[in-house]
Amino acid sequence: MLDKKEIDHLADLARLSLTDAENESLQKDLEEILNYVNQLTKAKIDNLPDASVGLSQNQVRKDSEPLVDEELADAIIKRFPQKDRRSLKIPPVF
């Protein structure tokens, strides 16, 4: 069970100034939380299926050929002011 001194210490760590009523309320709330966590530690998990199954499979879509309109690409490259073969040169951003 948490006592007033421990709650005060936690409040100091969190830089909270608590009234006596808030301290008591927080003490009760933290007790309930810790009791629930304690119940979870007692749960039987021996027969549960492995949760990591399926994580090793590739979930990414397969690559496909990009749809390119060659005529449009050639027209854009032809009209671009600076180019190096099929690469378009742009001014530096920074």
Side-chain angles (χ1 to χ4, degrees), residues 36-89:
Y36 184 73
V37 170
N38 194 28
Q39 287 177 6
L40 292 176
T41 61
K42 295 175 184 176
K44 296 185 192 288
I45 58 171
D46 297 335
N47 296 329
L48 292 178
D50 187 7
S52 66
V53 173
L55 295 179
S56 61
Q57 297 173 358
N58 186 1
Q59 300 297 325
V60 180
R61 67 169 172 75
K62 294 186 185 261
D63 288 336
S64 60
E65 291 294 320
L67 299 174
V68 177
D69 182 354
E70 288 294 328
E71 290 179 25
L72 178 61
D74 289 337
I76 292 172
I77 292 169
K78 238 184 239 183
R79 292 188 180 121
F80 209 79
Q82 294 180 334
K83 55 191 166 266
D84 181 9
R85 289 183 240 143
R86 290 186 60 85
S87 297
L88 308 177
K89 289 186 175 184

Side-chain angles (χ1 to χ4, degrees), residues 25-43:
S25 174
L26 186 60
Q27 185 176 0
K28 290 176 186 173
D29 291 344
L30 286 175
E31 281 293 326
E32 288 180 23
I33 292 169
L34 292 175
N35 286 336
Y36 184 73
V37 170
N38 194 28
Q39 287 177 6
L40 292 176
T41 61
K42 295 175 184 176

